[in-house]
Amino acid sequence: MSANRDELMEMVRDVLLGRLKLRLERDQIQPDTPLFGTGLGLDSVDAVDLAVGIEEGSGIKVPEDWRGRVALRSVNQLVGFLLEEGADVRRS
Amino acid sequence: MLRAAIEAGQTGIRPVQRFDTSAFDSDLAALVPGTDTPPMLPGASERAQELMVQFAVAAGREALLHANWAGAEVALVLGTNIEDRERTYEDLLDQVATELDLRGARLMTSIACASAASALGTAARMIERGDASIVLAGGSDVITPWVMAGFSVVGVLKPGPCTPFGAAFGLSLGEGAGLLVLEHPAHAAARGAVVRGLICGAGLAADGFHLTRPDPDGRGLAAAAQRAGAGPYGYVNAHGTGTEANDAAEVRGVVRAVGEVPMSSGKGLFGHAQGAAAAIEVISTLLCMERGRVPPTWGTTDLRAGAPAEPLLGPSRDLPIERWLKVSAAFGGANAALAFGPATPTLGAGPVYLGAVEAVGPHGVGLQGLAGGYQRGGEVDLGLAEQQCRRSDLSREDPTGVLVVSTATRLLRAAGLRMQRNNRRMVGVIVGQARTSHTTVERMHQEIEDDGPGGVRAGTFARASMVAAAGLVTRELGLHGPCNVLSCGALSGLVALVEAAEHLRSNDLTAMLALCATETGPWTGAGGVLLQREPTAVQVVGWAIGGGSHEAHTIERSGAAEHLMRIVPDASGAAGLWGFAQAQNLCEQHGSVVVVGSSLGISAAITLRRAR
């Protein structure tokens, strides 16, 4: 069964705090937070790590084309993309 | 044997048997034959370091033999990107020097994949100013499971063998050592040595652009090539890794600097030998040129868009060349170029002044209370250090990175230097580092332990290299001048300052920063010195480095002074920089002072004089 928005949001937070080790509180990562630049300040190396973490956490590959770039604009865009792809949250 | 392999296009790229590659994008690499067993397990840093030493000793022995030199007064400048876990670079240098019985000055250069080019350039500068008459210089590096994991996660490994400038993108890793015997032309002539090539220029420049990607227009690479000398050049031995980002940027940079010239890459034969690459490629080029040929770009058949106009695809052909360039580019945005051929006129030398001295440590920031704080020891407040840096959020960076950026920010502010578009290329940075960031290296190994070899994060891998802190400074502050990283234990800071002075004297620069930081030990913090062209109260009139047991000679070459100040070497090397606060006072008091420091492997001296 596909995961819902809240579950995916938590999974994205897990990746950002766990895999990327952002020095933030969980509630500082909000749906509207941009991932790059003025938001969480990620760069393209972090984008690689984020994509690997998302694939591990949901089984969905973030494509390298324009769809991937749009998906990585904000936390919300990423969650929306994963919902469209019918992502499931892998509970390890 | 090497020449025959190059002419026949016999590649060293083969399936990796040293460790499990199932988690990576490729199972191919150019490994040194006979080193597959015993298997190298993830985290086996000690074995990796042993191989690095073994490769360097084997290549060094052969180089000295070919040069027909058995005297002991040989300096050693070794480029590598091997991690300094478990042993320090100083320790590894000592072992290489001992096994080869070298007794001159010794130091490491580590700017990731451009380390060997940096080593050859650094050695050439040492010879030019009389630090040594003969230097064994080059690089040695090793393929480890974590290096292959890192390149894999960054997405640059090619499943098939590397084809530089070819239609399919990606690189194959390589390893090994390349060492050359460099000597002063007069020294070589006096002993009747066979001269196989002449280094006529060396240049360094930072992109200040990105952690792993090169400046897409190759601006840093072009600046490094221009600093190596005006040319004209008949051939460029490319970095040519085969990745999409490197090859395109490199071709643009080369064309920008020297125009359309024949260009080839040896990476299809040797793979990308990381910190040894430039040395191996220079040797292969010199070997081919002895027969009036150039090494071709083996492996490549279909060219990609943006490939060089003359990529010299195999087989090898006759092409007499008078003057040629070797270029290298690295993570952290470091670029290095070496020019070979008859000497060209160089830029005139300019004066060097002491502009500012800064420190960040447990005492706080600045120089007030620093000495007492250093005596007591303790940990620096990283939050306070971060507050010194205004440009962006440094929360992702390791303590070494935060410390060097904060010190550099304070130095620029103290000297009243504002970095703008028009002066970026005129300010550079030399970092002396006894150790790589312990925090990042340990994090990388923890990731492997937790998630297996494929679990290395791209961000961690890219920061685990010694060049990371220097690269961060160039990006945060916009310093696009020469960038180099030197390591020689407790003398790292002082030797970095010598290198900074040398660049400022001979290049068209406004200022150079020397920085040194430590995040482990009884005292954590950083020191920095800014040297500038604009006159201040204290002029830097001389500098020299020499063997550890030749301190008196090093002082003499630097220039005698009214007062001698000894730097008490601390484990990090940072005291060798912030010690200049005291040297500045002594100079104003006595009229002149020579600052000196020495360790087992190296001695360094800098002479200051009160300016009118």
Side-chain angles (χ1 to χ4, degrees):
Chain A
M1 202 183 85
S2 299
N4 65 33
R5 184 171 279 276
D6 288 346
E7 286 171 327
L8 287 168
M9 181 75 203
E10 289 313 303
M11 190 271 293
V12 171
R13 282 184 170 132
D14 285 344
V15 173
L16 290 168
L17 297 170
R19 188 178 171 94
L20 273 75
K21 299 197 170 57
L22 294 190
R23 274 200 268 151
L24 294 172
E25 295 301 321
R26 211 171 174 80
D27 58 13
Q28 285 178 281
I29 303 172
Q30 288 298 320
D32 295 334
T33 313
L35 292 166
F36 297 87
T38 54
L40 297 178
L42 303 189
D43 64 20
S44 62
V45 173
D46 298 319
V48 170
D49 282 331
L50 180 60
V52 172
I54 294 297
E55 191 177 349
E56 269 176 18
S58 67
I60 302 295
K61 210 173 168 68
V62 182
E64 283 181 30
D65 58 12
W66 64 271
R67 288 178 63 232
R69 286 198 290 279
V70 170
L72 290 178
R73 268 188 203 150
S74 69
V75 176
N76 223 357
Q77 300 264 40
L78 181 55
V79 169
F81 166 79
L82 293 173
L83 276 174
E84 272 174 34
E85 296 288 311
D88 191 7
V89 177
R90 292 179 180 173
R91 296 166 184 91
S92 51
Chain B
M1 234 167 78
L2 179 61
R3 178 162 39 209
I6 298 163
E7 294 198 344
Q10 194 184 326
T11 182
I13 300 170
R14 59 188 174 92
V16 175
Q17 270 141 25
R18 187 181 291 162
F19 47 81
D20 177 22
T21 56
S22 54
F24 311 147
D25 290 346
S26 172
D27 64 345
L28 298 179
L31 288 101
V32 172
T35 57
D36 291 351
T37 52
M40 187 184 281
L41 301 172
S45 308
E46 217 171 321
R47 167 120 196 278
Q49 290 194 326
E50 268 167 35
L51 280 178
M52 192 286 278
V53 169
Q54 195 183 316
F55 296 161
V57 169
R61 194 161 281 149
E62 205 170 327
L64 290 165
L65 194 72
H66 284 302
N68 195 20
W69 180 258
E73 284 311 317
V74 179
L76 173 66
V77 184
L78 189 61
T80 190
N81 193 37
I82 193 115
E83 58 177 3
D84 58 345
R85 175 191 195 252
E86 306 291 326
R87 298 162 63 197
T88 63
Y89 276 9
E90 187 182 28
D91 208 19
L92 298 172
L93 270 175
D94 285 349
Q95 192 187 343
V96 174
T98 306
E99 293 198 20
L100 292 170
D101 194 24
L102 311 175
R103 297 183 203 153
R106 49 191 189 245
L107 69 144
M108 291 268 201
T109 56
S110 189
I111 49 171
C113 299
S115 297
S118 160
L120 291 168
T122 304
R125 283 187 289 278
M126 284 169 66
I127 287 172
E128 202 178 352
R129 68 169 178 263
D131 288 341
S133 46
I134 182 157
V135 185
L136 186 64
S140 179
D141 228 324
V142 178
I143 298 174
T144 61
W146 51 97
V147 163
M148 196 147 173
F151 276 93
S152 182
V153 72
V154 175
V156 294
L157 286 189
K158 186 165 176 280
C162 158
T163 53
F165 316 124
F169 302 133
L171 63 79
S172 302
L173 279 172
E175 66 175 6
L179 285 161
L180 294 95
V181 173
L182 305 185
E183 58 186 307
H184 195 278
H187 189 270
R191 71 182 189 94
V194 177
V195 177
R196 314 187 78 148
L198 189 69
I199 298 182
C200 61
L204 296 167
D207 282 345
F209 178 73
H210 188 260
L211 180 56
T212 57
R213 274 185 296 121
D215 178 316
D217 291 321
R219 277 176 288 220
L221 189 121
Q226 281 158 349
R227 284 209 174 93
Y233 298 99
Y235 165 71
V236 174
N237 187 269
H239 191 52
T241 59
T243 67
E244 185 173 14
N246 175 81
D247 291 9
E250 181 177 5
V251 172
R252 285 193 199 107
V254 165
V255 171
R256 181 185 284 259
V258 304
E260 299 270 9
V261 285
M263 216 168 147
S264 69
S265 162
K267 300 273 193 307
L269 291 187
F270 311 119
H272 184 0
Q274 317 160 64
I280 293 172
E281 290 153 8
V282 163
I283 292 168
S284 72
T285 307
L286 291 172
L287 280 175
C288 290
M289 286 190 179
E290 283 178 358
R291 298 264 172 95
R293 306 188 138 206
V294 286
T297 304
W298 282 112
T300 306
T301 46
D302 302 329
L303 290 172
R304 72 181 69 163
E310 284 184 75
L312 303 175
L313 304 184
S316 136
R317 75 194 67 183
D318 291 344
L319 190 65
I321 304 291
E322 192 184 37
R323 187 173 279 124
W324 60 282
L325 265 182
K326 168 71 214 159
V327 291
S328 289
F331 275 12
N335 300 279
L338 296 162
F340 293 81
T344 47
T346 49
L347 293 170
V352 174
Y353 291 90
L354 189 63
V357 182
E358 276 293 345
V360 175
H363 69 292
V365 293
L367 303 166
Q368 207 74 35
L370 170 67
Y374 180 69
Q375 298 286 328
R376 283 190 299 278
E379 293 214 1
V380 64
D381 175 353
L382 284 170
L384 180 66
E386 210 175 316
Q387 282 167 25
Q388 311 302 309
C389 323
R390 288 178 306 190
R391 278 171 62 100
S392 67
D393 171 21
L394 294 178
S395 61
R396 311 294 321 283
E397 306 301 335
D398 54 41
T400 298
V402 172
L403 288 170
V404 291
V405 173
S406 57
T407 308
T409 310
R410 290 186 61 88
L411 282 171
L412 291 181
R413 205 176 294 154
L417 196 56
R418 297 176 75 89
M419 298 315 300
Q420 280 151 348
R421 190 177 287 273
N422 61 1
N423 67 351
R424 277 180 191 162
R425 279 182 63 173
M426 291 186 269
V427 183
V429 60
I430 311 295
V431 175
Q433 250 173 271
R435 304 298 309 252
T436 312
S437 169
H438 177 78
T439 311
T440 299
V441 172
E442 289 310 314
R443 174 185 289 180
M444 182 174 77
H445 284 281
Q446 192 60 49
E447 287 167 1
I448 297 169
E449 210 176 299
D450 293 346
D451 301 332
V456 176
R457 317 294 195 258
T460 314
F461 171 68
R463 289 177 176 88
S465 170
M466 205 177 251
V467 74
L472 183 65
V473 169
T474 67
R475 291 197 300 281
E476 287 298 318
L477 297 168
L479 312 183
H480 296 186
C483 170
N484 204 0
V485 180
L486 307 175
S487 184
C488 50
L491 265 285
S492 298
L494 195 55
V495 170
L497 190 59
V498 168
E499 170 87 352
E502 188 69 33
H503 281 283
L504 182 56
R505 181 182 71 89
S506 55
N507 275 327
D508 189 19
L509 300 167
T510 316
M512 283 296 296
L513 279 67
L515 301 165
C516 185
T518 176
E519 58 177 66
T520 52
W523 180 90
T524 68
V529 172
L530 183 144
L531 301 176
Q532 62 184 58
R533 182 71 86 218
E534 185 101 343
T536 65
V538 175
Q539 187 173 359
V540 185
V541 292
W543 49 86
I545 62 181
S549 53
H550 293 83
E551 192 192 275
H553 188 49
T554 305
I555 295 169
E556 194 186 309
R557 283 191 298 105
S558 175
E562 301 295 321
H563 190 86
L564 185 142
M565 178 186 146
R566 183 169 294 282
I567 293 280
V568 180
D570 63 319
S572 69
L577 291 176
W578 52 250
F580 275 78
Q582 193 194 341
Q584 203 168 2
N585 292 336
L586 288 168
C587 184
E588 283 169 18
Q589 203 178 323
H590 297 279
S592 62
V593 58
V594 56
V595 182
V596 58
S598 50
S599 68
L600 196 64
I602 192 165
S603 59
I606 292 183
T607 307
L608 308 178
R609 187 170 300 150
R610 194 166 53 206
R612 315 227 167 266

